[in-house]
Amino acid sequence: MKQLIVGLGSCGIAAGGLKIKKTLQDLVLTSNLDVSVSETGCMGMCYCEPMIEIRDESGQRSIYGFVDEKKATEIFESHIIHGAPLTASLIDPDYLSKQQRLVLWRCGAIDPESIADALNMDAYVGLKKALNSLSPTEVIEQVLAAGIKGRGGAGFPTGLKWKFAAGYDAEEKYMICNADEGDPGAFMDRSILEGDPHSVIEGMIIGGYAIGARKGYVYARAEYPIAIRRLKIAIAQAKEHGFLGKNILNSGFDFELTIKEGAGAFVCGEETALIESIEGNRGMPRIRPPFPAERGLFQKPSNINNVETLANIGWIIQKGAAAFADFGTEESNGTKVFALAGKVKKGGLVEIPIGMTIREVVETIGGGTSSGKALKAVQMGGPSGGCIPVELMDTTIDYKSLAETGAIMGSGGMIVMDEDNCMVDIARYFLQFTQSESCGKCTFCKIGTKRMLEILERITEGKGVAGDIEKLEFLSHQIKANSLCGLGQTAPNPVLTTLQYFRHEYNDHIQKKKCTTHQCKTLIRYNIIAENCIGCTVCAKKCPVHAISGKVKEIHHINQETCTKCGICKSVCKFDAVIVE
C-alpha cells in the first residue's frame, strides 16, 4: 500500500500543511485506491514546507516540497494514480545526505502519535537492554564512555552528571528534562518533541534507572502546544506498553513522568530557576553549591538534562558507547543538532557530526545566504553566544574551537547574517533580549546589562561618545565575572564578539555618525536622485506618512522631517531613483 505522509511539525502546520492533508484525504476517498494518508513531524527541511512524502510498496521514498492544494492534487493524480512522479517538484536529497542523524533519525520518518511506528524503528530497545542486561552503574559507565556532553549549552559531561546524582543516597530523587527552549531562532528541542517524543521519554526512563529516580518531570514552555500534546499522547502510550509506571518490563523498577508547563521565562532555562518554577515559585536561580545533584527539586538529589541530550541516550545504550564515539572529534563525541535560521537559503534542522566546519553547514547544507549577498557572520549560541565573522567560517564546530572564537556551542542556534546586517544593532538586539529576561536577583546582571543596553541604544541612534566602547568592555567583564547564573555570565558575549571582530562598525557609529549597512534608522536618510526620477508618483502614493511630494512627470522630493525611514519608497521604485545615504 502506498503511503502519503504530510509534514506536520510547527513549520509544516504554519505553512499550510493541514490543508494539504485534508486535500489528500479527500482525493483518497474519491479515488477508492488503497492509499493511506498520515502525518509526521518536522523532516528538517523547514525551508520547503509544506511537504509530502510518498512511500511505495517497496519502501521507495519521494519527497515533494513547496506544496499547495493545487500542487497536492497534481502530485496525487500523476504520482499515485498514473505512477509518474513530478520530478520537477521533488526535493534534492542532498540536504539530508550531508547530515548524520542519530537524534533526528526517527523525526520525519514516523507518525509521532503512533508508538507502533516508533517501536518499528527501535524505540525503547535501549531501555530494554538497560533494564534487562545492565546495572545502574553499568548504564552510567556506558554514558561516560560515550563521551556525550550536555547539549543544552554548557557542555558538561552527561555521564559525570549522572554519576554525581547517583552518588547521593536518598529515598526520593528526580530526573528532569529541560525543554524550556528560549533562544531566539532556536527550535531544535521543540522539533524533537514534536517529531519523536518517545526518544526523550526513553532517555528519561534510562536516566531515572541509572541515578535511582522513580519520578521525572518534563519542563516545557507552554508556547509549545503541539510538542506538549504529542508528549502527553506518547506518555499515555508508553504506560499502556509497560514502559512507564510500576515494575517496568518486570524489572522491579518504577518510574512516573509528569509534564510541567512553563510560562516562557528565558531564565527558567537555567537549571536551578527551572527547579524553583516546578516547585511553584518564581523562576529565579539559586546560589550554588549545593548543586542539584545533591539538593535539587524539593531539596532532593536531582539530575537535569536538555531534550537533545536525553534523545541520544536510547541510541547510545542500544548501539554502544563506542558506536557513538565514532562520530565527532577526539574531545567532542557524537552529533549536534542545529537550527539553521536567519538569512540562509535552506533554513531548517541540521544534525551533523561534531567537527564539521561552520562553512560546510552554512554553504554546503544551507546553500549560502538567501539574499545572494556576501556572508558576513554567524551568531552561534543564541543571546548567550557570539558572532563569528566570515574570516572564521572554517572553524570546526566543537566545544573548544567555538569557545576560542568567543562564541559557544549553546543549545544549537545558528543564525546567518549577510553584509546588510549591522553588527552593532545585532549586539543591541541580543542584549535587549537578555536584559529584559533578567530575573533581577543579582545587581551585576540586572543593572549592568541595563547600562550596557543604554550605551548601545545611544550608539545606534548616533549619540555615541568617546569612551563608550571602553565602558562596554569594562561592564561586560564585570557582569561575566560577578553574575549569579549563566544568563548574566554569558549576556555580554554578543557585545564582546562584535567588538572583537567588528570594532570598525562601532567606530563608524560613534565617530562618523554613520551606519554603513543602513540599518540604524536615525543614521540614514532616503533621497531621490533627480536624473533617475521620471515622476511616476508610485513612491508618493505608497508612502504611509505622505512624506513625498511632486507632480506627475516631475522630480519628486522627500521631506526628511516627516519621513519615518520605512523604506517602502525604495522597494517600490522601479527606476533606482531612491537611494539610502
Side-chain angles (χ1 to χ4, degrees):
M1 181 173 67
K2 285 188 174 68
Q3 293 177 280
L4 287 164
I5 303 167
V6 183
L8 291 180
S10 288
C11 50
I13 292 172
L18 289 172
K19 292 180 180 179
I20 305 303
K21 184 181 179 183
K22 178 66 166 55
T23 298
L24 294 175
Q25 288 173 327
D26 292 344
L27 290 167
V28 169
L29 282 174
T30 56
S31 70
N32 292 320
L33 294 174
D34 189 18
V35 179
S36 68
V37 179
S38 59
E39 64 186 62
T40 189
C42 176
M43 299 181 194
M45 295 174 283
C46 308
Y47 69 95
C48 58
E49 293 282 8
M51 295 172 61
I52 297 174
E53 179 183 336
I54 298 177
R55 295 182 196 169
D56 64 22
E57 295 82 354
S58 66
Q60 179 74 30
R61 301 175 65 187
S62 302
I63 301 175
Y64 293 93
F66 307 103
V67 179
D68 56 20
E69 293 168 84
K70 180 182 177 182
K71 180 64 69 175
T73 303
E74 292 174 0
I75 291 168
F76 187 86
E77 292 176 352
S78 182
H79 195 140
I80 300 299
I81 295 178
H82 300 295
L86 294 177
T87 54
S89 299
L90 290 172
I91 297 300
D92 184 355
D94 280 355
Y95 185 85
L96 296 177
S97 64
K98 293 180 173 68
Q99 301 180 37
Q100 181 62 58
R101 293 164 74 92
L102 306 186
V103 172
L104 301 177
W105 80 295
R106 286 196 293 259
C107 290
I110 65 169
D111 181 343
E113 297 181 17
S114 167
I115 193 171
D117 278 10
L119 291 172
N120 285 337
M121 292 189 70
D122 292 344
Y124 299 104
V125 171
L127 174 64
K128 293 173 184 176
K129 181 179 177 181
L131 296 182
N132 295 331
S133 308
L134 301 173
S135 68
T137 301
E138 288 172 329
V139 171
I140 292 174
E141 287 173 352
Q142 281 288 303
V143 177
L144 278 167
I148 181 172
K149 296 180 179 180
R151 300 310 198 231
F156 191 81
T158 302
L160 197 55
K161 208 173 188 181
W162 287 18
K163 186 176 180 179
F164 290 155
Y168 289 99
D169 190 22
E171 267 193 42
E172 287 182 87
K173 294 184 180 181
Y174 296 97
M175 190 75 187
I176 303 171
C177 171
N178 183 349
D180 189 61
E181 184 176 51
D183 289 10
F187 47 91
M188 304 76 58
D189 293 350
R190 185 199 71 207
S191 298
I192 293 168
L193 288 171
E194 289 179 355
D196 185 17
H198 290 286
S199 65
V200 181
I201 294 171
E202 181 178 14
M204 290 199 71
I205 303 168
I206 294 171
Y209 173 69
I211 71 169
R214 290 176 294 179
K215 186 162 186 178
Y217 284 88
V218 179
Y219 186 93
R221 52 180 45 222
E223 293 98 324
Y224 284 0
I226 300 169
I228 290 171
R229 180 176 63 81
R230 288 177 179 169
L231 188 58
K232 286 178 178 177
I233 292 169
I235 288 172
Q237 293 172 339
K239 285 180 179 178
E240 289 174 5
H241 284 72
F243 300 127
L244 281 171
K246 301 288 186 183
N247 191 26
I248 298 172
L249 301 177
N250 296 316
S251 65
F253 173 62
D254 305 337
F255 193 77
E256 297 288 347
L257 204 51
T258 300
I259 297 172
K260 168 68 175 179
E261 295 186 36
F266 182 64
V267 73
C268 285
E270 196 278 333
E271 59 183 16
T272 62
L274 183 152
I275 287 171
E276 288 288 319
S277 183
I278 293 177
E279 291 179 357
N281 304 318
R282 182 181 176 186
M284 299 179 77
R286 297 175 179 175
I287 295 173
R288 298 178 294 179
F291 291 91
E294 180 184 359
R295 275 190 282 161
L297 185 61
F298 305 121
Q299 298 301 307
K300 304 296 182 182
S302 307
N303 180 85
I304 303 178
N305 296 117
N306 93 315
V307 168
E308 185 183 343
T309 306
L310 291 165
N312 273 292
I313 299 301
W315 194 98
I316 290 171
I317 300 301
Q318 178 191 349
K319 305 288 187 180
F324 185 82
D326 280 344
F327 301 102
T329 66
E330 189 174 336
E331 295 183 356
S332 303
N333 294 349
T335 63
K336 182 72 189 78
V337 180
F338 288 96
L340 192 57
K343 295 182 178 179
V344 64
K345 191 176 293 183
K346 298 180 179 179
L349 277 185
V350 176
E351 184 176 0
I352 58 161
I354 293 176
M356 186 178 281
T357 67
I358 301 171
R359 188 182 303 279
E360 287 177 287
V361 174
V362 174
E363 296 184 352
T364 305
I365 298 177
T369 62
S370 53
S371 64
K373 296 183 178 181
L375 176 66
K376 185 173 187 177
V378 172
Q379 168 79 6
M380 295 194 65
S384 304
C387 296
I388 302 174
V390 67
E391 297 81 30
L392 297 179
M393 286 298 105
D394 292 317
T395 300
T396 56
I397 299 172
D398 61 73
Y399 292 92
K400 182 181 178 182
S401 298
L402 291 177
E404 288 173 351
T405 69
I408 59 173
M409 181 84 78
S411 57
M414 188 181 291
I415 300 176
V416 178
M417 291 169 271
D418 69 10
E419 61 188 7
D420 285 344
N421 284 105
C422 170
M423 303 313 292
V424 184
D425 190 54
I426 289 292
R428 181 205 56 78
Y429 167 79
F430 281 111
L431 197 72
Q432 183 181 49
F433 177 85
T434 49
Q435 198 280 321
S436 66
E437 293 290 341
S438 173
C439 74
K441 187 170 185 175
C442 61
T443 304
F444 281 93
C445 178
K446 176 177 67 175
I447 304 300
T449 57
K450 179 66 174 175
R451 296 290 87 85
M452 287 184 68
L453 180 59
E454 289 170 351
I455 294 170
L456 286 168
E457 287 175 340
R458 283 207 321 268
I459 293 173
T460 56
E461 291 169 1
K463 300 174 185 176
V465 297
D468 276 349
I469 290 177
E470 290 72 22
K471 286 178 184 177
L472 285 172
E473 290 175 325
F474 173 78
L475 286 168
S476 293
H477 294 303
Q478 292 298 314
I479 293 166
K480 285 178 71 70
N482 297 290
S483 291
L484 177 61
C485 82
L487 187 150
Q489 292 163 8
T490 59
N493 285 348
V495 178
L496 287 173
T497 52
T498 51
L499 279 171
Q500 180 180 356
Y501 301 116
F502 303 96
R503 201 180 193 93
H504 60 281
E505 292 196 24
Y506 283 84
N507 288 329
D508 284 343
H509 282 69
I510 295 169
Q511 297 168 11
K512 301 178 183 177
K513 309 301 179 187
K514 183 178 182 181
C515 176
T516 55
T517 61
H518 302 143
Q519 296 301 308
C520 298
K521 285 189 175 182
T522 56
L523 298 180
I524 62 173
R525 55 188 288 152
Y526 285 84
N527 276 319
I528 294 175
I529 304 174
E531 55 265 32
N532 287 6
C533 180
I534 65 166
C536 68
T537 75
V538 171
C539 61
K541 292 176 181 177
K542 295 292 183 179
C543 178
V545 293
H546 308 293
I548 303 176
S549 60
K551 296 180 180 179
V552 177
K553 296 184 179 180
E554 291 184 4
I555 298 169
H556 283 46
H557 302 279
I558 299 176
N559 184 329
Q560 298 300 327
E561 292 183 3
T562 309
C563 177
T564 59
K565 302 169 186 178
C566 64
I568 291 176
C569 56
K570 182 173 173 59
S571 66
V572 299
C573 181
K574 297 180 180 180
F575 305 98
D576 295 325
V578 182
I579 61 168
V580 188
E581 296 177 318

